[in-house]
Amino acid sequence: MKPLAPRLLYCVLVTTWCAQSAGIAQEGTSSPAAGPKSQYGDFSSHPDSLQAFYDYIHGQEMLKVEAGDALRQAVEAIPVDLGAPIDLEQEASLRAWFYDFLVAHSVSGSDSLATAFYLRGGNIYPDIVETIKNDLKTERPDLLEGDRPFDVFKAAYRFVVFEELERDYLFGQVSFFDSVFKVFEMREEYNSYEDYAKAQGMLPRGVLSLEDFLWRPEVEERLKANKKMVFVDILFIVEEPAEFTTLAVPGRTPSFFRLVWDSERTIWRPIEAFFSSGVPHSFLLQVM
């Protein structure tokens, strides 16, 4: 049997971002700019472009991530680019998903709040939850408070965030400069968000992706069957909590998320996510 740590990370499909020696985040903290003047993009992987990239990242005006009117109003103010129609309930659900995601991983969050966020669509993959539960019962029964899916996710979150990352929460501050909910449709073939971002010069180097989202193969099959599906792309800048940073200043990273509308469950579900490396975080997003 595999040890608990790698088996949990495999089963929950968590990707941890590790700060590398002489890492990218440290390169970008030397001379923050006064403020960005152009939209995010047109960067390159050439070393000469890195300082401009990190001047942009560290020149953002940031907002503390915590539950309350300030964050809620900031999320509500993010514009929607309607390349495809969605109704008011879908838009409200989209903003609620994003707000709840940020708060669940903030100083206002908790293992219970994060678990409620992960299970908002129900126990979609019971076999995987059962596997995680059995691993925990074998090797870390002290983390389990019961046999419900809620108990299993809560224990897995505690293990990954509190024990593996040694953090109480993941998000300190956030910037929505240049953030837009870009709504669009796809049919026949899945076009990767990461490929688009690279083509637009959004990622200089060191990209870390959350891969193998469990629903993605089904989405791709639906598209091949000529079934139209609605997607949303969103970019934002996140900063790690100052009290947990190992860097001279808290690390920041651009974060890219693509959601897809699950019409059967009437929820938005993540299908693609990727980041620039340097800031240690972990997400339990794929099992959703």
Side-chain angles (χ1 to χ4, degrees), residues 131-142:
T131 299
I132 299 170
K133 181 180 70 176
N134 291 336
D135 287 343
L136 287 165
K137 281 186 173 181
T138 300
E139 306 198 33
R140 287 301 304 273
D142 58 301

Side-chain angles (χ1 to χ4, degrees), residues 28-40:
T29 60
S30 58
S31 58
K37 295 183 179 179
S38 62
Q39 288 193 338
Y40 183 60

Side-chain angles (χ1 to χ4, degrees), residues 63-66 105 169-174 238-242:
L63 172 69
K64 185 175 182 179
V65 184
E66 61 180 346
H105 297 87
Y169 62 102
L170 302 173
F171 294 158
Q173 298 196 90
V174 68
V238 68
E239 179 180 282
E240 65 177 337

Side-chain angles (χ1 to χ4, degrees), residues 64-266:
K64 185 175 182 179
V65 184
E66 61 180 346
D69 290 342
L71 181 63
R72 192 178 299 278
Q73 290 169 7
V75 171
E76 290 294 327
I78 297 174
V80 177
D81 180 0
L82 287 174
I86 57 174
D87 60 35
L88 293 178
E89 288 188 8
Q90 286 175 297
E91 181 180 338
S93 176
L94 174 62
R95 295 188 189 276
W97 187 97
F98 193 40
Y99 175 86
D100 291 346
F101 165 70
L102 293 170
V103 169
H105 297 87
S106 76
V107 67
S108 300
S110 66
D111 50 7
S112 293
L113 193 61
T115 299
F117 172 78
Y118 302 143
L119 292 174
R120 65 193 298 143
N123 184 15
I124 298 175
Y125 299 103
D127 291 344
I128 289 180
V129 173
E130 188 69 18
T131 299
I132 299 170
K133 181 180 70 176
N134 291 336
D135 287 343
L136 287 165
K137 281 186 173 181
T138 300
E139 306 198 33
R140 287 301 304 273
D142 58 301
L143 293 176
L144 278 170
E145 299 176 353
D147 289 338
R148 299 174 304 161
F150 188 93
D151 300 319
V152 175
F153 268 80
K154 185 175 178 179
Y157 183 85
R158 285 180 176 176
F159 176 81
V160 173
V161 177
F162 299 161
E163 296 195 11
E164 288 290 291
L165 296 180
E166 297 182 339
R167 294 179 173 223
D168 293 336
Y169 62 102
L170 302 173
F171 294 158
Q173 298 196 90
V174 68
S175 170
F176 300 140
F177 183 85
D178 280 342
S179 294
V180 177
F181 291 115
K182 295 184 177 180
V183 183
F184 60 97
E185 294 175 347
M186 270 194 270
R187 194 194 295 263
E188 296 184 355
E189 184 178 0
Y190 184 82
N191 296 312
S192 168
Y193 184 19
E194 186 172 351
D195 289 345
Y196 170 80
K198 288 179 179 178
Q200 297 299 312
M202 292 180 174
L203 299 173
R205 68 176 186 177
V207 179
L208 292 176
S209 301
L210 295 179
E211 300 177 346
D212 300 323
F213 277 82
L214 294 179
W215 203 40
R216 181 158 169 175
E218 182 179 339
V219 168
E220 293 181 350
E221 285 301 315
R222 291 187 184 188
L223 292 174
K224 289 179 182 177
N226 205 32
K227 295 181 180 179
K228 181 173 60 180
M229 302 194 75
V230 178
F231 300 81
V232 175
D233 290 347
I234 178 71
L235 158 71
F236 57 102
I237 310 298
V238 68
E239 179 180 282
E240 65 177 337
E243 62 265 41
F244 300 121
T245 188
T246 59
L247 307 174
V249 296
R252 295 182 184 178
T253 179
S255 304
F256 302 80
F257 281 78
R258 172 172 288 173
L259 308 178
V260 59
W261 179 249
D262 183 341
S263 58
E264 295 178 4
R265 293 182 175 85
T266 62

